[in-house]
Amino acid sequence: MRRVVIVGYGMAGARLADELRRRDQDISITIIGAEPHAAYNRVLLSTVVAGTMTPGSTRLHDEKWAADHNIDLHLSHEVVSIDRSSRTVTVEDTRGAFVRSDSTEGPRVSLPYDALVLATGSTPWVPPAEGLVEDGKLAAGVVAFRTLDDCAEIEAKAHKGAPVVVLGGGLLGIEAARGLAGRGCLVTVVHPVGHLMERQLDPGAGGVLARTLGQLGIEFRLNALAAKYLPGDGLILDDGTHVPAELVVVSAGVRAETSLAVEAGLEVDRGIVVDDALRTSDPRIHAIGDCAQHPGTVSGLVQPAWDQAAVLADRLTGANPASRYRGTSVVTRLKARDVDLAALGDVHTEVDCPDSEVLCFQEPSRGRYAKLVLRDDRVAGAIVIGAPDAAATITQLYDRGIPAPTDRLALLLGRALPAEAASPADLPSSAVICRCNTVSKGQIVSAWRAGAETVPQLAEATRATTGCGGCKDAVCGLLDWLGASQPASA
Amino acid sequence: MSVIDGQVTPGPGGLCQKGWTAGELLRHPSRLTTPLLHGAPVSWDEALDYVASRIRSYEPDEVAVFGGGGLTNEKAYLLGKFARVALKTSQIDYNGRFCMSSAAAAGNKAFGLDRGLPFPLTDLRTADTILLAGSNPAETMPPFLRHLEGARLIVIDPRRTPTAERATLHLQPAPGTDLALALGLLHTAVIEGVIDKEYVSERTSGFDDAWRVAAQWWPEHTERVTGVSAADQRAAVHMLAGRSYILTGRGTEQHATGTDNVSAWINLALALGLPGRTGSGYGCLTGQGNGQGGREHGQKADQLPGYRKLDDPAARKHIMEVWGVDWLPGPGRSAYELLDADDLKAMLVFGSNPVVSAPRASGVADRLKALDLLVVADFVMSETAAMADVVFPVTQWAEEDGTMTNLEGRIIRRRKALDPPAGVRSDLELINGLASRLGAVGFSTEPRVVFDELRRASKGGPSDYSGITYERLESEQLHWPVPSVDHPGTPRLFLDRFAHADGLARFIPVDHRGPAEPPDDEFPLQATTGRVLQHYQSGAQTRLIGELMKAVPEMYVEMHPDTASRAGLASGESAQVVSRRGTVTAVVRCVPSMRADAVFLPFHFPGDGRANLLTNPALDPTSRMPEFKVCAVRLERVCDES
């Protein structure tokens, strides 16, 4: 029986175990998870911070899951080394000593594997400001926005009226800021670039987003770096100004967690390098999720991890040995109440670019912004803020490779609204008034001329209004128009 | 409604064009009035003798029966008994498998009982909001809309149908993504804080397992898969919090994941605390005249009268006592599996036209052609009847007594208004004639006698009719179960408890899988099928009526104008719609509200216009429902040189 050992019980590792078991009831599955609790849905942490979801609701598995699915699950354990020649990993119990260090060495065991999967995720990157880190740990009052435990700490300190600084104006930083503002905190976002979410947005869109968030009470310090952290007081920025903060939430980006792979001598660049089969430089070792570096993938998002888990499960169980991971097209979608933002593909093309069609719409006062980049009739990139229908439609065109409608403007307008009801006079004679009985305006006019002057008389003559009854207003409108415009037959 | 000289007069509920013109079929020149043996008119005795002698030469399981959801309760009941007692075959199923089976399976799982609406239809008039998932009653059941007038409508349909045009909120998911949308709405209901926690803890079980699936469908993720914006998902759940109903139709049920789709909608209804309370609920809208009763009394492959399970020893014992037999066959194959079987010698078809209405229709026609004996009972020469070795001309609605059970589980008397034309007999007489030739007794030709036997057979079952009599139906509105003659019936089920042993409703954990046949480079579009107002089912009846044919004369395909022009087509031209299973010829209709990647085809037309030449017979693992509602196609111009 093949033994698969998964290092990491986050969204990628948990998903892989589910996908493996779905395909194969017998394959041996071992998971080593560093955190003390069952895997949870990290994507939902912003809703926990916003207070709309409880931590328990984010759990991916319940306590019985491992036993029910015959999975060997080790919580509060870490893999400390990989022996590639003997195909074993050394596992250490870190219970009570969550952060690994030499002084907390617990009992160690060795586990054999046939296939090893690294799903070690990523760790927050902390800006190099003085005082944020003490003794290798975040200082008191400084929290990363990464784990369920982080959320609990944020929740405990995010009182109404408390000044809070969010370090980082990327996607997660803004979601955290919006959630904290919703809790009544006085939030300032400190961001080192001139506009928000610069990876996904152009400056115009970043400006509209900042304006919308400003109306929700969030302040911004752009082009600013944190220089020094003063516990219980706040931050000094690189321009010398002071920002008050009882809590600093660090959301300045992540780095792939590759230390285990580096020690094992695997090829590592920004992440652990994998091919389309999700193999590392050692074909018995695989990597998926945030720790992996695949040419077609931007890390830090869950969809690539899920797609990779499905491919790898196909391969490891033999369900589809030809399965390959070809990358995941990324659609960035902000999850923040009252801010509807989607960004996808190439958004940095200029309006006058000769080989693209670029459409722009801006209405900052109402928080709306749209930029659409089309190439060969297909959506190559888009930013849509404040137009939810358009965002949903454009995303579908992008994901499915559907040619854009010839009426480009309609795309930006979103939902096709029903046309204004035409007045009875303007309708052509062939227009069907009563759909249930296929009765046209012409037939109603003829019946009226023949003496049917009330709705019951018209119903008797034509059956109009006798089905669903929905045309009654239209029939009454026709009667009014006929009565007003022409002398009734007598 | 009443019929005088073949003229229809509606009751207070209203009628659409199909109802107004239904009388024309009673004396239509195309009406079948004599049995046909290999196309030649013969006497009833000659036809019956022939069929009986052929049947005697086969093994029991080489003979299949294919019933219909339009048959009266009495016919459906007697047909099931005929198959199992006279033919001794396990091979019986019916076209309701293509209609109600997914909703029925999901209802049984969640509530322990399946009744289309577990509340009176008129309750809908008190609703604030009604969600219609994959239902287009403005075309399929127009008078029903009168019950929806007071409510805000949320319509879920990939097309902007006449029903969607009336909606306060129209959610337009990509074809085959209903389940993802239902999961997204459940997720959204949780984060928007509108679920009814007290109800969930007191009246249901299994929420946590269902939630763990739905937890992965946050609104923005759901939007990406379905195309329904996160904002609309939020708007929908806020509209649904309160006095609301969630109703499903074929659009969400006719999928290879149909049962799970309906389970997902029921999960949403349960999370919102809707079922089992006055003023809110979940229900499904039945599709055929007797869609409800047709699925209760034994023409389903796995079922005995009274909605009993055929593999339940206690149910078998009870029915064997009522029928006076000491043996019954076990469960057989489902509808499409029967139509696709290569081990059958004979099939008897009652009230159905599978050559037009079954998926992968050309393959079905080939199978039926290969049979040794095909027998069809109908009142018009349907496409299936035209292939038959023997055709029996039978009565239609105004010419017979009996009962039907409507979508709210209410039993309705059908009263004979006219004598049938000479030469026409009822299905009960046909069954009796065959049964007696096969040496079986206990097949009355009198509807009332059959009904009284059905009452005894259903006694103690989930759909218990034992307390219903024809006399009571003269003056009373009776919803099953009616366990005794002094019982008032059960207009509202589940008010105190659901039908599972513990009294709780079950959340069923289900996840989105997507269409069985995703689009690809070769077949880049998705086809969906459905009805139009003027036609009914396979169209065998409505295509005979001049007024309806004048309104909708020929097969067409709806598409976005851009989709047409990119395929080199224009409105009014003939196009070929091609799938892996066949090619349909249809006239192009450009509809600007269509998704650019989807086309719609009505399924009422014969020959090269059969939408079901395209459809995918991928079956739901539980309900055995085929995937009528989505398959991959491409468009082609019709070649000029031919």
Side-chain angles (χ1 to χ4, degrees):
Chain A
M1 188 167 59
R2 272 171 75 72
R3 292 161 300 186
V4 178
V5 173
I6 303 169
V7 186
Y9 186 36
M11 293 189 79
R15 184 73 159 213
L16 176 63
D18 286 332
E19 298 273 5
L20 287 169
R21 194 48 92 220
R22 189 180 300 170
R23 288 165 178 74
D24 189 332
Q25 290 301 306
D26 301 322
I27 195 167
S28 157
I29 303 173
T30 300
I31 308 180
I32 319 294
E35 290 185 58
H37 31 235
Y40 52 88
N41 189 338
R42 214 182 289 282
V43 178
L44 302 181
L45 294 186
S46 58
T47 59
V48 175
V49 167
T52 55
M53 195 174 280
T54 62
S57 308
T58 66
R59 294 265 188 265
L60 291 169
H61 297 142
D62 64 13
E63 304 76 35
K64 307 190 306 302
W65 172 79
D68 287 351
H69 294 83
N70 186 27
I71 285 164
D72 185 21
L73 173 64
H74 303 262
L75 295 177
S76 298
H77 279 66
E78 282 197 38
V79 172
V80 292
S81 64
I82 303 168
D83 184 337
R84 291 164 55 188
S85 58
S86 67
R87 287 193 224 129
T88 56
V89 291
T90 302
V91 179
E92 179 181 289
D93 189 341
T94 57
R95 214 170 305 260
F98 189 58
V99 176
R100 179 156 59 91
S101 71
D102 293 338
S103 61
T104 58
E105 203 167 287
R108 292 185 164 189
V109 291
S110 177
L111 291 177
Y113 65 82
D114 296 306
L116 182 68
V117 182
L118 301 177
T120 47
S122 53
T123 47
W125 179 73
V126 182
E130 189 185 334
L132 286 176
V133 176
E134 276 182 351
D135 301 333
K137 291 201 240 177
L138 291 174
V142 181
V143 188
F145 178 43
R146 189 68 191 155
T147 67
L148 213 44
D149 294 347
D150 295 339
C151 282
E153 197 174 340
I154 293 170
E155 275 191 286
K157 290 180 178 157
H159 313 294
K160 276 196 171 63
V164 178
V165 165
V166 175
L167 278 184
L171 179 75
L172 287 176
I174 287 170
E175 288 185 359
R178 176 66 190 103
L180 290 163
R183 284 177 168 263
C185 300
L186 308 175
V187 182
T188 305
V189 175
V190 175
H191 190 55
V193 185
H195 71 275
L196 298 173
M197 288 179 68
E198 74 282 354
R199 263 170 74 187
Q200 296 93 359
L201 303 183
D202 62 5
V208 170
L209 175 62
R211 182 172 172 150
T212 301
L213 291 168
Q215 285 162 358
L216 297 166
I218 299 171
E219 296 189 21
F220 294 93
R221 300 296 303 273
L222 301 175
N223 283 320
L225 295 170
K228 186 172 184 186
Y229 171 59
L230 306 169
D233 178 38
L235 283 177
I236 307 291
L237 304 186
D238 58 350
D239 63 1
T241 55
H242 174 263
V243 185
E246 289 175 17
L247 173 68
V248 174
V249 176
V250 177
S251 186
V254 294
R255 297 289 176 270
E257 177 50 65
T258 59
S259 51
L260 203 54
V262 170
E263 284 168 32
L266 300 175
E267 186 189 345
V268 172
D269 178 25
R270 284 175 289 109
I272 305 165
V273 175
V274 293
D275 62 11
D276 286 0
L278 300 163
R279 285 177 301 218
T280 66
S281 52
D282 177 341
R284 289 204 176 257
I285 303 179
H286 304 76
I288 59 172
D290 277 3
C291 70
Q293 180 182 335
H294 179 276
T297 309
V298 180
S299 64
L301 297 165
V302 69
Q303 194 65 46
W306 284 358
D307 294 347
Q308 291 165 355
V311 169
L312 189 55
D314 276 345
R315 297 180 54 82
L316 294 181
T317 60
N320 178 9
S323 193
R324 290 288 185 280
Y325 176 71
R326 308 283 188 202
T328 300
S329 77
V330 172
V331 175
T332 302
R333 200 68 177 73
L334 189 71
K335 295 186 305 307
R337 183 169 289 272
D338 306 320
V339 189
D340 202 288
L341 181 153
L344 48 90
D346 164 22
V347 298
H348 297 293
T349 303
E350 298 296 328
V351 176
D352 53 5
C353 175
D355 64 350
S356 302
E357 263 183 80
V358 181
L359 290 81
C360 282
F361 172 83
Q362 299 193 39
E363 192 186 17
S365 59
R366 295 213 176 124
R368 295 203 283 194
Y369 182 94
K371 176 175 182 180
L372 186 60
V373 181
L374 297 165
R375 244 171 255 135
D376 298 329
D377 237 16
R378 285 176 166 76
V379 175
I383 301 169
V384 186
I385 305 177
D389 294 333
T393 306
I394 290 167
T395 303
Q396 289 265 299
L397 296 179
Y398 178 69
D399 274 342
R400 293 171 174 239
I402 307 168
T406 38
D407 183 355
R408 312 294 204 214
L409 190 56
L411 243 193
L412 294 187
L413 291 175
R415 191 195 311 271
L417 294 170
E420 284 286 303
S423 89
D426 298 336
L427 287 172
S429 178
S430 61
V432 172
I433 305 296
C434 170
R435 199 189 322 247
C436 297
N437 284 291
T438 329
V439 183
S440 65
K441 174 187 167 187
Q443 285 169 283
I444 288 175
V445 171
S446 302
W448 185 79
R449 290 199 177 120
E453 291 171 26
T454 64
V455 172
Q457 286 169 343
L458 271 177
E460 175 91 8
T462 67
R463 298 182 200 147
T465 73
T466 64
C468 70
C471 64
K472 205 165 170 182
D473 288 349
V475 170
C476 289
L478 272 175
L479 279 178
D480 289 348
W481 167 70
L482 286 164
S485 64
Q486 299 174 37
S489 64
Chain B
M1 150 162 105
S2 60
V3 185
I4 301 161
D5 295 336
Q7 289 293 306
V8 171
T9 308
L15 275 184
C16 72
Q17 206 168 0
K18 294 188 290 282
W20 279 108
T21 56
E24 285 187 34
L25 275 178
L26 292 165
R27 293 291 177 267
H28 195 278
S30 301
R31 180 77 191 271
L32 296 173
T33 55
T34 178
L36 300 169
L37 175 59
H38 299 130
V42 294
S43 72
W44 271 84
D45 278 341
E46 195 175 336
L48 289 167
D49 288 343
Y50 177 82
V51 172
S53 75
R54 297 302 307 150
I55 287 174
R56 276 195 294 268
S57 70
Y58 311 129
E59 294 298 314
D61 271 357
E62 290 175 343
V63 182
V65 175
F66 197 90
L71 303 176
T72 61
N73 291 325
E74 290 78 359
K75 294 178 187 178
Y77 166 80
L78 206 66
L79 195 58
K81 180 181 177 184
F82 170 75
R84 291 170 178 124
V85 173
L87 298 174
K88 298 185 169 59
T89 182
S90 63
Q91 305 296 306
I92 175 171
D93 210 53
Y94 82 126
N95 66 12
R97 183 69 68 179
F98 299 157
C99 193
M100 309 312 308
S101 59
S102 291
N108 279 319
K109 283 187 185 187
F111 308 121
L113 186 64
D114 155 50
R115 194 179 92 187
L117 302 184
F119 48 82
L121 187 54
T122 46
D123 280 9
L124 294 176
R125 290 179 176 266
T126 67
D128 294 330
T129 301
I130 296 173
L131 181 150
L132 295 172
S135 180
N136 180 19
E139 292 201 83
T140 59
M141 197 166 23
F144 171 79
L145 261 68
R146 294 171 183 261
H147 296 286
L148 310 183
E149 277 166 0
R152 296 174 299 186
L153 286 186
I154 302 172
V155 172
I156 294 174
D157 201 308
R159 289 194 302 143
R160 192 160 180 83
T161 62
T163 310
E165 282 173 8
R166 289 192 173 200
T168 305
L169 185 61
H170 174 206
L171 308 183
Q172 234 174 328
T177 64
D178 314 45
L179 182 38
L181 179 57
L183 287 162
L185 292 177
L186 175 56
H187 186 109
T188 308
V190 170
I191 53 177
E192 295 293 307
V194 298
I195 70 164
D196 188 335
K197 288 179 184 157
E198 196 180 319
Y199 172 99
V200 168
S201 74
E202 287 176 7
R203 299 212 55 191
T204 73
S205 66
F207 174 79
D208 289 347
D209 288 341
W211 166 251
R212 262 187 287 281
V213 182
Q216 314 200 20
W217 290 92
W218 56 94
E220 293 78 9
H221 177 54
T222 304
E223 169 185 301
R224 191 164 174 193
V225 172
T226 64
V228 175
S229 75
D232 278 354
Q233 295 172 54
R234 286 190 199 100
V237 299
H238 283 292
M239 283 171 70
L240 284 170
R243 294 176 69 87
S244 301
Y245 290 85
I246 292 177
L247 304 176
T248 60
R250 300 309 81 71
T252 203
E253 296 162 13
Q254 288 178 324
H255 292 272
T257 59
T259 305
D260 286 356
N261 290 1
V262 179
S263 288
W265 293 115
I266 295 177
N267 288 346
L268 175 63
L270 289 173
L272 295 167
L274 307 182
R277 284 175 159 172
T278 304
S280 65
Y282 161 79
C284 82
L285 300 176
T286 47
Q288 297 192 70
N290 197 23
Q292 180 67 44
R295 69 182 189 259
E296 297 171 4
H297 297 296
Q299 57 174 336
K300 264 176 112 167
D302 52 355
Q303 201 183 65
L304 289 171
Y307 222 136
R308 289 181 156 93
K309 298 289 284 178
L310 183 51
D311 55 8
D312 171 6
R316 292 173 68 88
K317 182 165 177 288
H318 170 78
I319 296 297
M320 284 193 281
E321 280 168 15
V322 174
W323 287 350
V325 295
D326 53 13
W327 179 85
L328 283 177
R333 284 171 289 188
S334 73
Y336 178 75
E337 291 162 299
L338 285 183
L339 295 169
D340 192 42
D342 57 6
D343 56 352
L344 294 173
K345 294 274 174 57
M347 184 175 292
L348 283 59
V349 179
F350 289 76
S352 189
N353 187 14
V355 170
V356 175
S357 63
R360 190 172 158 267
S362 61
V364 167
D366 290 344
R367 288 284 190 218
L368 294 183
K369 257 181 234 156
L371 289 171
D372 205 38
L373 176 70
L374 177 63
V375 179
V376 173
D378 210 325
F379 48 86
V380 294
M381 187 58 98
S382 72
E383 286 69 24
T384 308
M387 293 175 56
D389 300 286
V390 181
V391 179
F392 289 105
V394 291
T395 49
Q396 50 174 310
W397 54 283
E399 301 161 352
E400 58 192 21
D401 277 309
T403 59
M404 315 271 272
T405 303
N406 76 354
L407 78 169
E408 51 183 354
R410 182 160 58 89
I411 291 79
I412 297 168
R413 265 281 268 136
R414 168 180 275 190
R415 288 180 193 79
K416 181 174 169 177
L418 302 170
D419 285 326
V424 169
R425 296 185 186 175
S426 77
D427 302 81
L428 296 183
E429 288 174 285
L430 166 56
I431 293 169
N432 170 284
L434 287 175
S436 62
R437 281 166 176 77
L438 296 167
V441 293
F443 293 87
S444 173
T445 60
E446 280 302 315
R448 182 186 296 259
V449 175
V450 176
F451 187 76
D452 283 340
E453 187 182 311
L454 183 163
R455 293 171 54 202
R456 291 199 301 283
S458 73
K459 188 173 178 56
S463 70
D464 189 332
Y465 284 34
S466 61
I468 305 170
T469 64
Y470 275 21
E471 287 70 28
R472 290 188 73 184
L473 291 175
E474 296 290 334
S475 58
E476 292 180 74
Q477 304 245 329
L478 294 173
H479 299 74
W480 67 254
V482 192
S484 65
V485 289
D486 54 4
H487 188 282
T490 315
R492 292 180 187 86
L493 291 165
F494 313 139
L495 290 183
D496 302 320
R497 60 195 311 283
F498 293 97
H500 287 300
D502 59 8
L504 303 178
R506 306 245 191 291
F507 281 89
I508 308 295
V510 290
D511 203 355
H512 175 69
R513 298 191 290 283
E517 185 181 55
D520 56 23
D521 290 346
E522 201 183 348
F523 299 98
L525 302 171
Q526 290 184 303
T528 182
T529 66
R531 295 190 194 177
V532 300
L533 189 141
Q534 286 79 5
H535 290 287
Y536 179 64
Q537 302 291 73
S538 73
Q541 298 168 38
T542 48
R543 280 184 271 115
L544 294 175
I545 294 174
E547 185 182 325
L548 300 178
M549 283 303 271
K550 188 172 160 229
V552 182
E554 61 189 351
M555 181 61 184
Y556 63 88
V557 52
E558 282 185 2
M559 65 190 74
H560 191 278
D562 286 348
T563 310
S565 66
R566 287 189 174 108
L569 296 164
S571 202
E573 285 182 3
S574 247
Q576 289 191 326
V577 189
V578 184
S579 84
R580 287 185 175 81
R581 292 155 296 277
T583 300
V584 165
T585 307
V587 173
V588 173
R589 280 196 191 179
C590 288
V591 178
S593 63
M594 284 292 286
R595 289 176 60 99
D597 58 349
V599 300
F600 167 77
L601 302 103
F603 67 86
H604 312 291
F605 294 93
D608 291 345
R610 278 178 289 171
N612 281 315
L613 293 170
L614 305 174
T615 49
N616 185 1
L619 300 185
D620 182 284
T622 305
S623 67
R624 317 304 286 165
M625 168 75 84
E627 184 135 291
F628 286 108
K629 285 298 186 222
V630 55
C631 67
V633 299
R634 66 168 176 262
L635 291 170
E636 291 177 358
R637 292 168 56 89
V638 175
C639 294
D640 298 327
E641 61 264 35
S642 58

